[in-house]
């Protein structure tokens, strides 16, 4: 079986005019199927940059990234979008839900975009919202939910397409301790149910300790902690 993600000698710099900001250099990393890994590191060290590269939202400046054995720089934009949608679910620090839509539509949207029929998409969305404890909030819009509830909707949305790997960027960074613990437990449970991989960026060691493995990003590279 292929690894979910392989980064080989990965390098990345942000370029603005003639100003270059080097963020990652010669970074190697492997994520295998079903594995849960935390990326620790100080603010500004490049954790989000790494996740965006792995998720195909940015292109490496050097080196390569394989997703399920495919070099994502060597396929066209359309294939990359398909591979990304099939492989990854994304959860961010801020929920990025659509404010004009109910929880039900926010969660069902990835399936509607894939072309599933409305009945099927919305019934799966309802099932998942029930699974994350929000059956009584399916018709609420994001502004009518608490921070923890919004994050649970975002998690339901991220896994509705049954991705092989969840990429989570400080998923509890905006929550108080109680909500943060609940959301993390939920992510871990769902991950077990779906036997998917999890790559979670955090600066919280307590969260990191719940993963199979911890790596630390510093000096533009990952090291094992
Ligand atoms: N669009 C950008 N242009 C230039 N520099 C950026 C950009 N985005 C992030 N950076 C810089 O890259 C570094 C890594 O950022 P980021 O990956 O967001 O760090 P982290 O997620 O670990 O806090 C930071 O020093 C940041 O200032
Ligand atoms: Mg970040």
């Amino acid at each position: 079986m292929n690894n979910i993600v392989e980064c080989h000698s990965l390098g990345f710099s942000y370029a603005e005019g003639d100003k270059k900001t080097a963020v990652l250099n010669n970074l190697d990393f492997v994520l295998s199927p079903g594995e849960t890994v935390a990326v620790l590191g100080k603010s500004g060290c490049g954790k989000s940059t790494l996740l965006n590269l792995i998720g195909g939202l940015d292109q490496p400046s050097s080196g390569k990234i394989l997703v399920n054995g495919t070099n994502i720089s060597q396929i066209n934009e359309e294939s990359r979008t398909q591979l990304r949608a099939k492989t990854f679910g994304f959860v961010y620090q801020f929920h990025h839900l659509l404010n004009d839509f109910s929880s039900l539509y926010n969660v069902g949207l990835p399936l509607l975009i894939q072309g599933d029929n409305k009945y099927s998409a919305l019934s799966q969305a309802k099932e998942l919202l029930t699974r994350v404890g929000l059956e009584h909030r399916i018709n609420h819009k994001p502004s009518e939910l608490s921070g923890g509830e919004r994050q649970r909707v975002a998690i339901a949305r991220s896994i509705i397409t049954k991705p092989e790997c969840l990429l989570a960027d400080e998923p509890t960074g905006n929550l108080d301790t109680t909500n943060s613990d609940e959301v993390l437990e939920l992510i871990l449970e769902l991950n077990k149910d779906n036997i998917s991989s999890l790559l979670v960026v955090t600066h919280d060691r307590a969260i990191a300790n719940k993963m199979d493995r911890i790596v630390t990003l510093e000096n533009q590279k990952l090291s094992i902690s």
Side-chain angles (χ1 to χ4, degrees):
M1 208 194 293
N2 282 317
N3 286 315
I4 301 289
V5 174
E6 290 182 22
C7 301
H8 296 280
S9 308
L10 181 65
F12 184 80
S13 310
Y14 288 103
E16 274 167 79
D18 52 8
K19 196 178 86 205
K20 250 187 160 186
T21 312
V23 181
L24 306 176
N25 180 33
N26 237 339
L27 178 149
D28 294 307
F29 174 66
V30 171
L31 181 69
S32 37
E35 194 180 25
T36 62
V37 176
V39 180
L40 277 175
K42 294 195 178 112
S43 176
C45 72
K47 303 181 296 298
S48 296
T49 303
L50 176 63
L51 223 60
N52 290 343
L53 287 166
I54 290 173
L57 305 173
D58 265 320
Q59 295 294 312
S61 310
S62 58
K64 62 181 177 185
I65 298 175
L66 307 185
V67 171
N68 256 318
T70 301
N71 183 336
I72 57 171
S73 299
Q74 285 180 345
I75 52 177
N76 64 29
E77 185 60 42
E78 196 188 330
S79 312
R80 199 160 37 240
T81 304
Q82 275 174 10
L83 184 64
R84 178 166 58 225
K86 184 171 104 39
T87 312
F88 297 118
F90 296 87
V91 183
Y92 301 96
Q93 180 174 358
F94 300 100
H95 54 83
H96 291 304
L97 296 170
L98 299 174
N99 287 318
D100 292 336
F101 291 89
S102 64
S103 305
L104 190 66
Y105 272 86
N106 265 292
V107 174
L109 199 63
L111 293 182
L112 294 170
I113 291 170
Q114 274 182 16
D116 283 25
N117 76 54
K118 194 168 155 186
Y119 178 78
S120 158
L122 296 185
S123 41
Q124 288 180 66
K126 187 172 175 198
E127 209 173 290
L128 259 186
L129 280 163
T130 304
R131 175 73 185 79
V132 302
L134 290 177
E135 195 182 10
H136 57 310
R137 293 284 182 268
I138 60 175
N139 293 318
H140 281 55
K141 291 180 179 168
S143 62
E144 298 159 346
L145 299 170
S146 74
E149 287 173 337
R150 282 197 281 261
Q151 208 56 335
R152 281 191 270 160
V153 175
I155 289 164
R157 178 189 54 183
S158 75
I159 59 167
I160 197 161
T161 53
K162 302 190 172 66
E164 293 169 76
C165 175
L166 194 64
L167 299 176
D169 193 350
E170 314 254 13
T172 62
N174 200 29
L175 302 177
D176 61 38
T177 315
T178 312
N179 272 308
S180 166
D181 288 348
E182 278 177 20
V183 161
L184 184 75
E185 288 306 325
L186 180 65
I187 290 178
L188 287 170
E189 266 173 39
L190 293 169
N191 219 61
K192 251 193 208 132
D193 291 355
N194 298 339
I195 324 170
S196 62
S197 309
L198 171 64
L199 185 58
V200 61
V201 159
T202 181
H203 52 252
D204 184 339
R205 190 159 274 275
I207 289 181
N209 283 339
K210 300 204 165 173
M211 306 299 143
D212 296 336
R213 194 154 66 86
I214 301 174
V215 292
T216 301
L217 183 55
E218 72 192 329
N219 303 325
Q220 307 181 350
K221 287 189 182 61
L222 288 174
S223 56
I224 296 161
S225 341

